[in-house]
Amino acid sequence: MYWPSGQYLTTASITNLHNVRHRGSGSVKRGSALFYVEPGKSNSNIIYVATTGNANNDGLSASQPINTMQGGLNAMESYGPVLNGSWTLQVAAGTYAEEVTTGLRSANAVNIKGPDVSGGVPTVILDGGSGARSFGIYAGPYINFNVFDIKAQNYSAYGFVAHNASMMNLYNCHSSGSTEAQANAEDRSRLYILGGIYNGGKYGVRIYSQSTGSIRKDTRYNTAAQFNNATAAGIYIRENSNARADDFTSNGCGIAANAANGRLHIVNATITNAPVACQADRGGEMYDDGVTYGTGVTVRRRRLSGGRFLAQSSAVSENSFINTAELVHTGSTTLATLWQGPSIEALELSNPGRAIEVEIRGKWGSGATATTLYIALEGSTGNLSQVNSPTNSPNVFVIRAVIIPRGVNSQLVHTELFTHAAASFTATAAPRTVDVSTDRAIQVRALLGNSADSVTIDYIKITRLG
């Protein structure tokens, strides 16, 4: 159907408007809105959708909406095969029990918008019927979607998926209860997550098969993305894919972030309640820059099958940690923990290719009975190393101990004591059997020979070697 130049005023829905091909520079005017039948690069069209609508409506106004999101996308197909200009599917609040996909091509990303909820919970709900449907919104092949303020729930596979060289940008979208992944990109696709909450299922977001991803705040409201309660991983990057994740939070996931034969760069994340926070697996690479490990994190970083960390965020992993606050201990002959440093990741403590050096400087008192200093690991009853003071003379000392991991349950410790009042010595302890399958902090413990004695420590340094 050809539309000559001009604006064609209508007040009622036009029957079968989207069932024929349209050409021409004319436009349909409905209220104050214009609908271009053959839009140019600078033109914009909106199709309205609401649960109160009708499948036979043309969707050119909010008062004459189409009743399903899929119906709204189907209406656009008559204006292809490649859509020009800007196209928006404006969706009213409500629950839509459907799958949404299209074979459209477009010069620009197609917008799918729910009502703006200022960074809160979306009022447009896509419902999978407890697994009766496979996906919420599916982009592919070769289609780009911008999705705003929509929640998907209870699908048997994915809430949102970009497939086959497609792109999907999710602005404050939420997804929960979908079995496989709340958001997914595969087969050379791109997925960008800006804010939103992704809860439950096997994965929060999965990016694989040569795809790329980006996770960051929704700058409209400065809200961070959240990944919660995923049984396998909150963020999973695999099969030659790569992603960057900024300013997100993760809580209650089996692994908060996992790069398996993929690459993941994390910046300023907060992770809580995870058996493993960050994992590099099967040749995967992870750059963890500024991760905050909260309560309930058992292992901060784990490396499996050739995975590697390109940067390390723990205090010890930045090569050294130094404490210069003076510690004075006297009066008690009970074993006491004088100092506890930052947690050292299980990856560091169990890796035979690395070592930890502990240097302690201070002064013993002049007790008649020797005072003993111990180097130990948080939560362990045994000590990794011990040094006894000379008796009857105050002494300045320097202790250096090198902890050499031999596996998860075995460590070798070489200890040196330097002091002016007695001969220095070097000792190699028998292999220790402290379990380091979880992150542990290094402790300095002391046992005074008598209550009148004292020990003062004014410098502790922990350095990663290797």
Side-chain angles (χ1 to χ4, degrees), residues 219-280:
T219 55
R220 298 178 302 166
Y221 308 109
N222 199 36
T223 52
Q226 301 177 38
F227 301 95
N228 303 326
N229 305 312
T231 58
I235 300 172
Y236 187 37
I237 313 300
R238 55 176 267 203
E239 294 179 13
N240 298 311
S241 298
N242 65 86
R244 173 165 171 156
D246 292 15
D247 303 302
F248 70 89
T249 65
S250 177
N251 180 65
C253 297
I255 301 171
N258 187 9
N261 193 25
R263 184 166 181 165
L264 175 60
H265 183 178
I266 298 175
V267 180
N268 298 331
T270 299
I271 297 171
T272 53
N273 298 312
V276 178
C278 300
Q279 177 170 296

Side-chain angles (χ1 to χ4, degrees), residues 2-351:
Y2 181 74
W3 297 70
S5 179
Q7 296 179 0
Y8 298 85
L9 180 62
T10 66
T11 56
S13 177
I14 302 173
T15 303
N16 296 324
L17 175 67
H18 306 302
N19 293 339
V20 296
R21 293 286 183 178
H22 300 275
R23 293 292 182 266
S25 58
S27 59
V28 179
K29 186 172 184 180
R30 184 78 52 81
S32 60
L34 292 177
F35 182 85
Y36 298 89
V37 298
E38 194 173 10
K41 292 181 179 180
S42 61
N43 298 138
S44 299
N45 281 343
I46 300 176
I47 298 290
Y48 291 88
V49 173
T51 56
T52 56
N54 188 294
N56 296 319
N57 285 345
D58 60 16
L60 299 195
S61 74
S63 61
Q64 293 143 334
I66 298 172
N67 63 339
T68 65
M69 295 169 64
Q70 186 61 56
L73 286 179
N74 291 346
M76 296 181 185
E77 293 185 359
S78 294
Y79 306 92
V82 177
L83 297 178
N84 287 318
S86 173
W87 287 78
T88 297
L89 194 68
Q90 187 65 57
V91 187
T95 298
Y96 299 79
E98 57 178 312
E99 297 174 333
V100 181
T101 187
T102 183
L104 278 168
R105 306 289 185 270
S106 62
N108 301 297
V110 174
N111 301 307
I112 304 176
K113 290 186 174 183
D116 191 331
V117 292
S118 301
V121 178
T123 55
V124 171
I125 310 296
L126 273 169
D127 189 75
S130 299
R133 287 169 282 276
S134 297
F135 55 82
I137 297 179
Y138 183 102
Y142 311 109
I143 183 70
N144 298 339
F145 283 156
N146 293 325
V147 185
F148 297 82
D149 301 297
I150 289 178
K151 180 179 180 180
Q153 62 185 25
N154 303 326
Y155 286 89
S156 64
Y158 315 110
F160 303 94
V161 56
H163 179 251
N164 197 358
S166 295
M167 181 178 77
M168 185 177 287
N169 298 323
L170 301 176
Y171 295 83
N172 188 46
C173 289
H174 293 206
S175 184
S176 65
S178 293
T179 303
E180 187 66 16
Q182 307 313 314
N184 187 79
E186 59 186 273
D187 193 14
R188 299 165 289 117
S189 294
R190 291 177 289 172
L191 178 64
Y192 297 87
I193 293 176
L194 300 99
I197 300 175
Y198 300 83
N199 183 68
K202 192 174 181 181
Y203 304 106
V205 56
R206 182 178 65 174
I207 298 171
Y208 73 106
S209 187
Q210 302 180 59
S211 297
T212 60
S214 176
I215 299 167
R216 58 184 188 271
K217 289 182 176 180
D218 183 344
T219 55
R220 298 178 302 166
Y221 308 109
N222 199 36
T223 52
Q226 301 177 38
F227 301 95
N228 303 326
N229 305 312
T231 58
I235 300 172
Y236 187 37
I237 313 300
R238 55 176 267 203
E239 294 179 13
N240 298 311
S241 298
N242 65 86
R244 173 165 171 156
D246 292 15
D247 303 302
F248 70 89
T249 65
S250 177
N251 180 65
C253 297
I255 301 171
N258 187 9
N261 193 25
R263 184 166 181 165
L264 175 60
H265 183 178
I266 298 175
V267 180
N268 298 331
T270 299
I271 297 171
T272 53
N273 298 312
V276 178
C278 300
Q279 177 170 296
D281 188 13
R282 287 175 282 166
E285 296 180 339
M286 187 173 294
Y287 187 106
D288 51 329
D289 183 9
V291 177
T292 299
Y293 300 99
T295 59
V297 173
T298 304
V299 176
R300 293 185 179 187
R301 293 184 303 135
R302 183 167 67 185
R303 186 179 61 191
L304 300 173
S305 305
R308 63 176 183 153
F309 287 84
L310 302 181
Q312 303 159 343
S313 60
S314 73
V316 174
S317 298
E318 296 290 349
N319 293 327
S320 65
F321 173 86
I322 298 175
N323 178 75
T324 58
E326 186 177 76
L327 305 169
V328 180
H329 178 57
T330 189
S332 173
T333 57
T334 302
L335 180 67
T337 298
L338 303 188
W339 178 83
Q340 179 170 305
S343 288
I344 301 177
E345 297 162 10
L347 180 68
E348 300 285 341
L349 293 170
S350 62
N351 187 346

